[in-house]
């Protein structure tokens, strides 16, 4: 069902929604941007329509809502272990406003945490089951996006789709509570989602990657350019690597907790092993691992590319490393070219 809402109507709808649900979306943090005098647009709690930023891409993805940066897995005390429990506020039904690329990224995270082994990741599943999505339609592509090339400009799995247009908001309600809310606050209308049809940036993903490219000189550039800050992976909506830490409480060393904390294959120490062995000490090798995991390893396992073409990694990189350019170079090399 489609509905046309005035700004006041959508504001009233959200006012009702937040009384029973947690709502997250793109919000603005004034003066918190990477550069002096700029704002940070990222995911945060939404209390009303005025909080939602419609015309900018977020620096970070919404994955933090259901895959926290740090999370207690269990507590230990004198030889006994107690699994962590979610707070009452964390088991409320949660609504996340997000773009098509990010909704496709959730599909990738679901495969990693729910399908990549004999048992689902319980800590991810218990948050994910309460999380629902509202698609924020992109009427135009943001700079650096290449979602069309990655086939992620369209999405499924959302409860509703919403876009501002002509001074109104057009809502496509696919499930409750949006059907009821649309009836209550909007007027019936013919509404179909709008999908981005073209990006200014085009990426050609190679159909296959020959192992001979593992030692290609193209990776040497990244050995010297990358500073291993990890910003590319932290901003990525599909990166899911984490580490675990055992925390012993100062007041009683017999008690503590085990946490998992986001980690990155690009930072120093990520592959350090007992005995001092390091799997990928060179930063060019880490770049190779990341790129091939996104466009080759993951696809061979799940049938889809892991990268969704949001362009965040290129936007946040302080060394201007382009993931898209690297993939296009690989494609040229696989087709017999010399590469960019």
């Amino acid at each position: 069902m489609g509905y046309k809402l005035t700004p006041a109507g959508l504001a009233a709808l959200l006012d009702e929604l937040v009384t029973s649900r947690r709502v997250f979306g793109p919000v603005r943090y004034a003066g918190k941007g990477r550069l002096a005098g700029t704002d940070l647009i990222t995911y945060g709690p939404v209390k009303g329509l005025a909080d939602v930023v419609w015309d900018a891409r977020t620096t970070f993805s919404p994955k933090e809502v259901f895959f926290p940066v740090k999370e207690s897995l269990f507590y230990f005390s004198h030889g006994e272990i107690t699994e962590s429990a979610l707070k009452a506020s964390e088991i409320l039904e949660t609504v996340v406003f997000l773009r098509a690329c990010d909704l496709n990224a959730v599909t990738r995270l679901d495969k990693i945490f729910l399908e990549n082994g004999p048992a689902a990741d319980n800590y991810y599943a218990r948050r994910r089951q309460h999380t629902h999505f509202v698609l924020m339609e992109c009427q135009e592509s943001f700079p650096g996006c290449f979602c069309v090339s990655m086939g992620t400009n369209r999405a499924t799995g959302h409860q509703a789709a919403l876009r501002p247009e002509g001074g109104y908001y057009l809502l496509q309600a696919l499930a409750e509570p949006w059907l009821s809310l649309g009836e209550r606050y909007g007027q019936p209308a013919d509404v179909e989602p709008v999908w981005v049809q073209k990006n200014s940036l085009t990426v050609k993903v190679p159909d296959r990657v020959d192992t001979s490219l593992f030692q290609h000189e193209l990776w040497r550039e990244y050995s010297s350019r990358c500073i291993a800050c990890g910003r590319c992976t932290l901003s990525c909506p599909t990166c899911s690597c984490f580490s675990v830490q055992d925390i012993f409480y100062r007041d009683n060393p017999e008690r503590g907790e085990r946490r998992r904390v986001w980690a990155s294959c690009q930072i120093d120490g990520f592959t350090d092993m007992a005995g001092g062995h390091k799997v990928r000490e060179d930063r060019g090798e880490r770049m190779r691992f990341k790129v091939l995991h996104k466009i080759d390893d993951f696809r061979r396992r799940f049938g889809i590319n892991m990268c969704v073409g949001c362009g965040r990694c290129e936007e946040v990189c302080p060394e201007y490393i382009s993931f898209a350019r690297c993939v296009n170079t690989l494609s040229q090399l696989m087709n017999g070219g010399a590469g960019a």
Side-chain angles (χ1 to χ4, degrees):
M1 290 292 293
Y3 300 95
K4 184 177 183 179
L5 294 88
T6 63
L10 182 58
L13 183 157
L14 289 176
D15 288 345
E16 178 178 335
L17 190 70
V18 298
T19 61
S20 59
R21 289 166 172 78
R22 299 193 307 160
V23 180
F24 292 87
V27 299
R28 182 183 305 275
Y29 292 91
K32 300 295 185 181
R34 182 158 58 116
L35 303 177
T38 63
D39 300 337
L40 172 65
I41 310 297
T42 191
Y43 273 82
V46 171
K47 300 301 182 184
L49 179 59
D51 292 338
V52 182
V53 176
W54 295 89
D55 58 355
R57 176 178 54 199
T58 60
T59 300
F60 298 101
S61 80
K63 68 182 180 184
E64 186 178 347
V65 175
F66 45 91
F67 174 41
V69 175
K70 63 179 181 180
E71 180 176 23
S72 298
L73 303 182
F74 58 79
Y75 301 91
F76 49 86
S77 177
H78 302 283
E80 295 185 356
I81 292 176
T82 304
E83 188 173 6
S84 65
L86 294 179
K87 301 175 183 176
S89 60
E90 294 175 315
I91 58 176
L92 283 175
E93 296 302 299
T94 300
V95 175
V96 181
F97 286 71
L98 76 182
R99 307 286 180 180
C101 58
D102 285 334
L103 191 48
N104 278 281
V106 175
T107 301
R108 276 69 172 166
L109 291 175
D110 285 352
K111 290 188 177 300
I112 294 167
F113 285 110
L114 304 179
E115 303 176 21
N116 190 29
D121 184 305
N122 176 60
Y123 303 101
Y124 177 87
R126 65 184 182 177
R127 295 177 187 274
R128 179 68 179 82
Q129 66 178 328
H130 296 292
T131 308
H132 312 284
F133 303 105
V134 173
L135 175 68
M136 300 177 71
E137 300 169 36
C138 292
Q139 295 172 283
E140 296 180 357
S141 175
F142 294 110
C145 293
F146 48 97
C147 58
V148 176
S149 298
M150 306 309 293
T152 55
N153 53 321
R154 293 173 175 266
T156 59
H158 47 287
Q159 288 187 334
L162 191 62
R163 70 174 182 272
E165 185 175 292
Y168 293 88
Y169 291 91
L170 301 182
L171 169 70
Q172 184 191 46
L174 301 173
E176 294 293 354
W178 298 94
L179 291 164
S180 299
L181 292 170
E183 287 286 343
R184 195 143 59 242
Y185 294 103
Q187 296 295 322
D190 293 328
V191 178
E192 291 294 331
V194 172
W195 309 107
V196 169
Q197 300 296 323
K198 184 178 181 181
N199 304 125
S200 58
L201 178 61
T202 300
V203 172
K204 171 61 177 173
V205 179
D207 295 331
R208 63 181 182 84
V209 178
D210 196 289
T211 54
S212 64
L213 292 181
F214 287 11
Q215 303 303 322
H216 195 277
E217 62 181 13
L218 83 93
W219 307 113
R220 295 177 186 171
E221 175 188 358
Y222 307 109
S223 299
S224 58
R225 181 178 288 268
C226 176
I227 60 172
C229 65
R231 291 175 65 92
C232 54
T233 52
L234 296 181
S235 65
C236 175
T238 66
C239 277
S240 56
C241 286
F242 60 84
S243 184
V244 293
Q245 301 173 345
D246 285 342
I247 310 297
F248 294 87
Y249 300 152
R250 288 184 177 179
D251 60 345
N252 185 350
E254 297 296 321
R255 300 176 62 246
E257 63 184 88
R258 174 165 292 181
R259 296 174 181 170
R260 72 175 175 190
V261 183
W262 284 9
S264 168
C265 59
Q266 301 302 293
I267 63 174
D268 295 339
F270 180 74
T271 60
D272 287 2
M273 303 172 68
H277 184 59
K278 300 176 186 294
V279 177
R280 289 182 293 275
E281 190 170 12
D282 181 82
R283 294 168 185 174
E285 294 178 348
R286 299 174 198 171
M287 178 69 176
R288 180 192 66 201
F289 172 80
K290 181 184 72 174
V291 172
L292 297 187
H293 183 55
K294 297 284 188 185
I295 60 145
D296 188 52
D297 297 338
F298 191 89
R299 185 177 64 205
R300 283 191 280 117
R301 180 165 180 78
F302 295 110
I304 53 177
N305 288 306
M306 189 176 182
C307 174
V308 294
C310 70
R312 289 187 177 96
C313 59
E314 301 197 14
E315 182 181 34
V316 302
C317 180
E319 292 296 317
Y320 306 102
I321 292 174
S322 170
F323 179 91
R325 179 181 174 85
C326 183
V327 174
N328 280 334
T329 299
L330 283 173
S331 185
Q332 292 172 20
L333 291 169
M334 286 303 300
N335 290 321

